[in-house]
Every structure is written in C-alpha cells, then in structure tokens.
C-alpha cells in the first residue's frame, strides 16, 4: 500500500518503521527540515518537506494513488485541517489523530470518520492490562468483514430491539445508557439517547450510515 | 531515505499538450521562411514549409483547446523544451535538403541555426541561394525567442537568485500562465529590438535585406552572416552598430525591459551587465596584447573589441580568421565563450551569473577558514541568500559543461585534429557561439558533425534537459494522476 503520513511525531516514526518493514510504500511529510534530516538515515522512506495542511504539498504525494493518509502531528487543529485537505484531494482513507477529546466530536461533525485518540487508546490498554485483559487483541477476534457500527438512538429507533429492522448480517450487541454498559437481548428496549452498538458485515456499513448519519454519508460521496 | 515513492515519470499527455501549444506559434513563424522561399521561386521548399505550417497550425489549435495542467513536473517541462528545439530543427531538415544539402548537413545547419550558434559545414563554393541563407538568419531569430521564453522551464528548482535575475516583474502564478506572460513580454521586446536594430543598420548604410538578416542573427546572438554580406569589408560605423546590437542581445530581457521604461536603477541592479561589458573589454585588451600585427593601434583595438564581444556574447561573427590568432589569444576567447553572456538573454555559455556565483562560492570557502566552527555564514548573491540547491545546480552545470566539452574534444583528438583548434570549435559549439578555427567545416567527418550538433543542442538546453530526455526514469515508472 502507499501510505502518506503528515507529521513526523514519535508515534508516526514508530508506525512508519513498522509499515516499511511490512513492505508498504511510505511518504513522510513534515514542515521541520531538521527533523527530516534527523530521520533520513533511520527511515527507508520518501520525505516531503512542507506544511502538510497545504493541498499543494499533499498533491506532490499523488493523493488519488495513495491508500491512506495519516495525520499524526502533535497539534489537533493541524491534523484536522490536513485531514480535510487530504479528503478533498482524494486520498483513499484519511485517519486523524486527536489528543484532545473536544476535537473528537468536531471530527465527527466534519465527517472525518477515522479518528484515533492515542492517549485514550493507550490509557484503556493500560487499564485493561491491570485487569489482565488485552483488548488490543480484539482485532484477532473481530476479523475479515466484521465491523462495529454505533449510533445515537433518536425517536425513530425507540422500542424493542427486535422491531428495529436491520440488514440480514447485522445484530445489535450492546448499548450505553448514561455511559452504563448493557448487553442487548431481543427484548431489550431502546430509549432515545442510547448509544447503540451493532456488529455487522462491512457491506451494510454504508446503508447503516445513511440511516443514522445521513450528513456524514453525504459528505463521503 | 528512499525517495522512490516520490519519483514520477513524465505524463505523455501533459508533454503532448504543452508541445502542442508551442506548435501554433511555430506555424505562424513558419510563414516567414515560406514567404522567403516563395519569393525566391524555391517552390519545393515553399511547399514543404507551407505544408508543415498547416499541420502545425491544425495540431496547435487542437492542443490550445485542452485546459492547462498546472502541476507541470520539472522533468515534463524540460522534456517539452528539449523536444521543442528538436522538432523545430527537424521540420527544417526537408526544406534544407531541397536546397541540395545532404541530410547530415541539413540537420547540422538547422541545429546550428535554432540553437543560435552559427557554425556551418557548407562548402564555401556551395550556392544554396539567398533565401536559404536568410532562412538560417530567421531560424536563429526564432531560436533566440524560443530560448528567452522557455529557458525559465529549464531551471530545475528556482531559488531567489534565479527568480530575481530571470523573471523580474510580478508574473501570474502557475507555470503555464507564467510562461505565456513571459513569452508575450519577451516577444514585444524582442520584436522591438529587432526592428530598432534593422533600422539602425540600414541607417549606417547596410543594404536593407542584409540589415534584416543581421538583425535576426544579432538580437539572437546567433551569428550567421546574411546573403551577400562581407564582415571583413564592413565599415567601422556599421560594425559598431552591429556590435551594439548583439551586445544588447546578450543582456537579459528583464533588464532591457526596465531600461526601456527608464527604470535604470532597477536595471543596473543585475550585476551581469557591467560584468558583460567588463569581460568583453578585458578580453579585447588581452587579445591586443597577445597579437602582433600591423595597422594602427586604434584599428587593432577595434578588431579585438569586435571579436571579444562576438565571443563573450556567444554571437560568433568573425571579421578575421580565428585560426590565425596566437594560442594565448585563442585561450582568451575560449574562456569568454565558456562563460558566455547574461542569464535571461539569448546568449549561451554557462552564463555570467553562474560564473559570478561560482566566484562567490570560492570566496565564501576561503572566508570560512577564518571563522570559528559554529559561526553561521551563508553566501549571498544579488542580495539574496544562495540556497543549497542553487549552489549545487550552478556547480553541477559548470561541471556538466566541462564534461560535455571534454568528451567531445576527445572524439576530435581521436580523429587527429589539432588540439587547440578542436577544443576551440567544441567550446564554440557547446557555448552556442559559432566562431570557428576551420575544424567545423565542409571537410569534417560525418560522425564529428553529429558530435558538434549534439554539443550545440546540449549547450542550448543547458545539458540537464538533454540528460532528462534520455534518462529511462523520465519515461518508465509511476506517473502522477493528472489533476
């Protein structure tokens, strides 16, 4: 795959190293020339020196041929702007890193669907580690075409779980009511404001998104 | 580091579209030689030229309808310029052959003309006709115009110094629009200078047709002598006017533009112009010093000035025979031809500004030895810091010129030509000058004619563009999707 990374943060460098080892083609964009000079020997990838929020810079990485754009600088605003620029330039998938959870919501509203909050991910990992769990191994459980989808229940979704007409390969697994975790049975009743989690085949994702998040779905097309 | 992911081959469509956009002006320009041939009754040549003009016009109109691609890659722009010069030379080969030239000679004359060089391998007793000779003058004029317009595309990464010297006035963003604006401005000035030059030469007594031919070959620093003209027998006034004209041809158009608008202070900010004058005068002085001869001191100084400026501006008019000069004077001319005229003009050589940058870097290296290890000291040129890639580009280009000259010289030495004379003609070809000691003449072996033709093209395209044209990476590999 052809991967473009904006921001040569420590995290980005570690990830870049792993991806290069796995045989992916990597382009690292950073505005700090000294930082690039520092990494030139360490990383066997291509470097672009410039502001990764600028379309003219990102264009040099040939966006429509790239599979993924990672925005991993240490500034959330920069990552969001770079992600928006990247999306409009036609990168296959855009992944935005935000440190401040405040911005996570904004990312959702802007239609940046792949956001990561690294500190929270690590924090949860550490917390689970204390309890003897290894949630990062989740990906070995949820494989292939399986995807999670979650939405906030509005008025139309109220009622028993069974009455919610879902695609064939999609099931409601659990919901969060007032941040409290509840497993769902067929007779569980959904209330307005519940955060509902669905396990689905990936082919139904767009359908689900259109149903519960039409604005985002439009922004994508 | 592994920049492989960012190496892009040229996009054939982009190259074709840009090349196509140059066809329309070419079609218009071809009307001049068509007219010349028709007036002289050379119907074969006129027919071929008219046919080519129509084809170029039709293709050009088609290309003009395609929208610009603004992210033109450097390798693409270089390939376009290199192919443009090649195409312009090649379309002249069939008409030239119709004047009785062999294909090799026809190609040599066409390349010598379009690159504004002025070397010739035609036998002295050959009489291809006045229209052919004027056509060469015109082709030099076209080559000069093409070079001042397109040379901005030959710079791989423009830095502040390049920009200041070669572009000057504020121009629109985007390489395509920029080149067009540059071309329009260049055309106005260039045509103006040509007309003024023609008038001046006619005024000092040069017959009209010769005045036109001289003007074409002088503002372009080309140096083909028009039909019926005799440089050696030319009066001092006429020769002075000619010198003024080709000296102006070696001044950057931006500087002329500023001068024409009375903005002298801005015009003189470019250090190249005083250096051009200074180098010419010093070379002339050295030539006078090294040559013994009769005649008055003033006449000898005049001869030397004409010859020195002819070499320095890379024009290549010679009133006498350079082969009769003593070795020391030949060496002076060699250096002058290697350095050449100002960047941003039609002149060849490595250009004066590059020589000045090299000089500045030399001084910088010496000064550096006196500084403590961590002192920050960056070389400057023309009021701007010289960026790393600019310094590198200047030095690499000088080395490439030397390399091309060295390899070509070797070919001439292997064929048994006298060393200094061979070197002189090789430098003359590579610097697109046109002075000759007689090595480049009718008796030259065909392979060596091709070596000189390649040298002229390399010199005109500042070598890099030719290397890019033939590099496999230019054509094979990942291509960017067009925006």
């Amino acid at each position: 795959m052809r991967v473009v990374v904006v921001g040569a943060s420590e995290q980005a460098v570690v990830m870049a190293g792993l991806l290069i080892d796995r045989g992916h083609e990597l382009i690292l964009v950073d505005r700090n020339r000294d930082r690039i000079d520092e990494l030139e020997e360490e990383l066997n990838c291509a470097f672009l020196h410039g502001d990764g929020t600028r379309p003219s810079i990102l264009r040099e990485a040939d966006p429509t041929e790239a599979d993924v754009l990672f925005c991993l600088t240490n500034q959330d605003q920069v990552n969001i702007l770079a992600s928006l620029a990247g999306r409009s330039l036609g990168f296959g998938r855009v992944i935005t890193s935000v440190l401040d959870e405040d911005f996570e919501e904004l990312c959702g509203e802007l239609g940046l669907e792949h956001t990561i909050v690294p500190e929270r991910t690590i924090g949860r990992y550490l917390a689970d580690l204390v309890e003897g769990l290894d949630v990062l191994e989740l990906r070995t459980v949820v494989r292939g075409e399986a995807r999670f989808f979650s939405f906030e229940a509005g008025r139309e979704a109220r009622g028993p779980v069974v009455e919610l007409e879902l695609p064939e390969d999609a099931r409601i697994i659990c919901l969060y009511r007032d941040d409290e975790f509840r497993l769902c049975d067929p007779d569980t009743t959904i209330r307005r404001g519940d955060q509902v989690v669905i396990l689905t085949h990936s082919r139904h994702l767009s359908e689900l998104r259109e149903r519960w998040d039409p604005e985002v779905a439009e922004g994508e097309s | 580091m592994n920049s492989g992911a960012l190496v892009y081959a040229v996009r054939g469509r982009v190259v074709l579209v840009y090349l196509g956009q140059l066809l329309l002006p070419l079609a218009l320009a071809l009307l001049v030689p068509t007219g010349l041939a028709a007036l002289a009754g050379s119907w074969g040549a006129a027919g071929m030229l008219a046919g080519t003009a129509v084809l170029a016009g039709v293709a050009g109109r088609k290309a003009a309808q395609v929208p610009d691609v603004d992210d033109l890659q450097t390798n693409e722009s270089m390939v376009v310029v290199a192919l443009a010069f090649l195409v312009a030379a090649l379309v002249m080969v069939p008409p030239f052959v119709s004047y009785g030239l062999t294909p090799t000679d026809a190609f040599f004359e066409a390349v010598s003309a379009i690159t504004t060089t002025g070397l010739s391998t035609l036998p002295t007793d050959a009489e291809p006709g006045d229209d052919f000779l004027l056509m060469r003058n015109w082709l030099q004029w076209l080559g000069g115009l093409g070079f001042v317009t397109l040379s901005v595309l030959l710079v791989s990464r423009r830095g502040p110094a390049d920009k200041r010297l070669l572009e000057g006035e504020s121009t629109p963003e985007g390489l395509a629009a920029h080149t067009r604006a540059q071309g329009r401005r260049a055309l106005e000035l260039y045509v103006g200078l040509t007309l003024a030059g023609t008038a001046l030469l006619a005024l000092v007594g040069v017959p009209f047709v010769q005045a036109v031919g001289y003007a074409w070959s002088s503002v372009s620093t080309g140096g083909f002598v028009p039909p019926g003209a005799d440089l050696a027998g030319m009066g001092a006034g006429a020769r002075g006017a000619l010198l003024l004209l080709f000296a102006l041809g070696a001044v950057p158009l931006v500087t002329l533009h500023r001068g024409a608008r009375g903005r002298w202070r801005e015009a003189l900010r470019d250090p190249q112009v005083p250096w051009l004058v200074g180098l010419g005068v010093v070379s002339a002085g050295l030539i006078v010093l090294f040559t013994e001869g009769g005649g008055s001191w003033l006449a000898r100084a005049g001869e030397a000035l004409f010859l020195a400026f002819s070499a320095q501006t890379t024009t290549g008019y010679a009133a006498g025979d350079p082969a009769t000069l003593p070795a020391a004077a030949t060496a002076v001319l060699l250096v002058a031809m290697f350095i050449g005229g100002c960047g941003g003009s039609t002149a060849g050589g490595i250009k004066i500004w590059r020589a000045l940058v090299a000089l500045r870097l030399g001084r910088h290296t010496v000064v550096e030895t006196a500084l403590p290890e961590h002192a920050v000291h960056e070389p400057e040129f023309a009021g701007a810091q010289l960026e790393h890639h600019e310094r590198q580009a200047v030095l690499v280009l000088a080395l490439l010129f030397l390399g091309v000259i060295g390899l070509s010289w070797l070919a001439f030495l292997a064929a048994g030509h006298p060393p200094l004379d061979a070197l002189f003609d090789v430098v003359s070809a590579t610097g697109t000058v046109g002075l000759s000691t007689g090595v480049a003449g009718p008796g030259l072996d065909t392979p060596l004619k091709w070596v000189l033709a390649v040298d002229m093209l390399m010199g005109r395209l500042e070598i890099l563009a030719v290397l890019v044209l033939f590099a496999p990476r230019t054509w094979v590999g990942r291509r960017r999707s067009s925006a």
Side-chain angles (χ1 to χ4, degrees):
Chain A
M1 281 210 281
R2 186 174 168 89
V3 180
V4 180
V5 182
V6 173
S9 56
E10 286 302 331
Q11 201 176 48
V13 170
V14 171
M15 182 196 72
L18 289 170
L19 284 174
I20 293 165
D21 287 345
R22 291 181 198 174
H24 296 292
E25 197 172 47
L26 215 96
I27 299 166
L28 196 54
V29 186
D30 201 276
R31 57 195 294 179
N32 183 350
R33 185 61 213 236
D34 293 340
R35 177 70 173 150
I36 290 181
D37 290 343
E38 206 174 285
L39 294 172
E40 263 175 357
E41 282 180 32
E42 188 181 329
L43 289 176
N44 187 30
C45 68
F47 292 90
L48 274 175
H49 174 217
D51 182 345
T53 62
R54 284 187 175 277
S56 61
I57 297 286
L58 289 177
R59 228 176 258 133
E60 291 187 13
D62 200 12
T64 49
E65 294 298 310
D67 301 283
V68 188
L69 174 71
F70 272 108
C71 300
L72 297 180
T73 72
N74 292 324
Q75 269 180 295
D76 292 351
Q77 293 92 327
V78 170
N79 292 342
I80 291 171
L81 205 52
S83 301
L84 291 173
R87 190 178 65 188
S88 73
L89 288 173
F91 279 94
R93 194 151 40 119
V94 178
I95 295 166
T96 319
S97 162
V98 286
L99 300 174
D100 188 335
E101 290 189 38
D102 258 6
F103 286 114
E104 196 189 6
E105 207 170 309
L106 180 65
C107 284
E109 280 172 27
L110 290 169
L112 298 172
E113 51 177 327
H114 305 291
T115 44
I116 48 165
V117 185
E119 309 238 306
R120 193 172 64 195
T121 307
I122 298 298
R124 193 183 300 142
Y125 174 68
L126 293 175
D128 287 342
L129 208 58
V130 172
E131 295 179 353
L133 296 168
D134 194 350
V135 281
L136 284 189
E137 287 310 306
L138 193 62
R139 62 191 162 85
T140 63
V141 181
V142 184
R143 293 193 297 265
E145 303 297 321
R147 296 284 187 278
F148 280 115
F149 176 79
S150 103
F151 67 94
E152 192 180 300
R155 222 174 0 181
E156 79 296 334
R158 283 182 306 180
V161 164
V162 279
E163 284 177 24
L164 202 67
E165 286 175 18
L166 286 177
E168 204 182 330
D169 295 327
R171 297 274 186 285
I172 292 178
I173 304 299
C174 63
L175 58 78
Y176 295 90
R177 185 169 295 158
D178 303 325
D179 280 343
E180 193 185 322
F181 170 73
R182 293 171 185 229
L183 263 179
C184 291
D185 305 323
D187 51 347
T188 308
T189 310
I190 298 172
R191 287 189 202 157
R192 198 173 164 181
D194 285 351
Q195 196 72 40
V196 184
V197 178
I198 296 175
L199 184 62
T200 172
H201 189 285
S202 63
R203 68 168 170 266
H204 298 308
L205 264 181
S206 54
E207 185 185 331
L208 293 170
R209 234 176 254 153
E210 221 156 279
R211 185 162 164 189
W212 277 289
D213 217 349
E215 277 173 34
V216 174
E218 259 169 45
E220 270 175 12
S221 56
Chain B
M1 188 167 56
N2 170 8
S3 301
L6 290 172
V7 174
Y8 301 115
V10 298
R11 294 160 292 184
R13 200 185 69 91
V14 173
V15 170
L16 281 180
V17 166
Y18 275 84
L19 208 54
Q21 293 193 356
L22 296 174
L23 285 178
L24 210 51
L26 179 68
L28 284 175
L30 279 171
L31 296 179
V32 175
T34 310
L36 288 173
L39 277 176
S42 311
W43 297 112
M48 279 186 250
L49 287 164
T52 313
V54 170
L55 276 180
V58 170
R61 273 195 66 105
K62 221 174 172 104
Q65 289 158 1
V66 182
D68 283 343
V69 184
D70 247 346
D71 56 346
L72 195 63
Q73 295 165 202
T74 310
N75 55 1
E76 287 167 350
S77 63
M78 287 187 170
V79 164
V80 167
V81 180
L83 288 178
F85 273 88
L86 260 182
V87 166
L90 286 174
V91 300
M92 294 308 288
V93 171
F96 280 7
V97 168
S98 81
Y99 286 97
L101 277 65
T102 65
T104 297
D105 283 339
F107 182 71
F108 191 94
E109 298 295 314
V111 166
S112 177
I114 197 77
T115 59
T116 75
T117 307
L119 286 173
S120 178
T121 54
L122 290 187
T124 37
D125 57 348
E127 281 178 7
D130 289 358
D131 50 332
F132 167 80
L133 296 178
L134 266 178
M135 229 177 255
R136 288 194 316 187
N137 294 131
W138 163 83
L139 197 54
Q140 292 199 319
W141 186 85
L142 182 68
L145 178 63
F147 183 68
V148 285
T149 309
L150 300 176
S151 60
V152 69
L153 298 177
L154 289 175
V155 181
S156 64
R157 276 171 136 188
R158 284 173 298 158
D162 306 341
K163 278 190 180 153
R164 186 146 334 152
L165 290 179
L166 306 181
E167 298 168 25
E169 322 296 312
S170 60
T171 38
E173 279 296 314
L175 208 49
H178 177 99
T179 312
R180 262 198 296 276
Q182 186 99 341
R184 255 196 304 277
R185 206 170 51 202
L187 185 69
E188 280 168 28
L189 269 163
Y190 198 65
V191 170
L193 188 62
T194 310
L195 292 178
T198 313
L200 178 68
L201 288 169
L203 213 65
V204 293
V206 179
F208 181 71
V209 172
Q210 288 180 22
V212 171
Y214 269 131
W216 279 344
S217 280
S218 299
V219 296
S220 60
T221 67
F224 270 135
V225 175
D230 171 28
L231 256 174
M234 207 178 200
R239 213 183 276 178
L242 197 58
L243 196 159
L244 177 69
L245 198 54
F246 64 69
L248 285 176
V251 168
L253 275 186
V254 175
T255 308
L256 287 180
H257 180 71
R258 288 171 178 155
R261 304 209 158 182
R263 305 210 306 260
W264 290 106
R265 195 177 304 179
E266 261 178 80
L268 291 176
R269 204 183 294 153
D270 183 349
Q272 291 189 105
V273 182
W275 273 88
L276 174 70
V277 177
L279 283 169
V281 170
V282 169
S283 300
L286 288 172
I287 291 171
V288 171
L289 193 69
F290 294 144
T291 41
E292 307 156 24
S296 72
W297 180 86
L298 197 67
R300 278 175 59 201
E303 293 279 337
L305 262 183
F306 188 83
L307 188 58
F309 271 95
S310 180
Q312 191 71 55
T313 61
T314 74
T315 309
Y317 289 126
D321 183 1
T324 59
L325 289 171
T330 309
V332 170
L333 290 178
L334 269 178
V335 174
M337 295 194 296
F338 179 75
I339 294 174
C342 305
S345 77
T346 64
I350 63 164
K351 314 280 184 300
I352 290 173
W353 75 272
R354 291 208 179 88
L356 291 178
V357 167
L359 210 64
R360 187 56 59 90
L361 291 180
R363 204 177 74 180
H364 176 77
T365 311
V366 172
V367 170
E368 236 175 14
T369 61
L371 293 169
E373 200 180 337
H374 295 99
V376 175
H377 178 63
E378 297 290 344
E380 285 186 357
F381 179 69
Q385 208 175 80
L386 279 169
E387 288 181 10
H388 180 75
H389 65 82
E390 285 180 283
R391 296 182 233 170
Q392 186 180 320
V394 165
L395 297 179
V396 164
L397 188 107
L399 279 178
L400 282 174
F401 256 84
L402 287 174
V404 167
I405 289 169
L407 283 176
S408 311
W409 188 30
L410 194 64
F412 279 81
L413 291 179
H417 287 281
L420 192 59
D421 287 358
L423 181 63
F424 188 89
D425 278 29
V426 164
V427 172
S428 174
T430 313
T432 71
V433 182
L435 287 173
S436 172
T437 54
V439 168
L444 193 62
D445 297 340
T446 302
L448 291 179
K449 282 181 186 171
W450 284 90
V451 169
L452 283 185
V454 170
D455 283 349
M456 292 189 270
L457 279 170
M458 287 251 197
R460 181 74 308 182
L461 297 167
E462 303 195 329
I463 301 172
L464 196 57
V466 179
L467 298 184
V468 169
L469 185 66
F470 289 109
R473 277 194 169 194
T474 305
W475 303 100
V476 183
R478 182 202 306 280
R479 272 165 239 284
R480 262 162 109 179
S481 36
S482 304

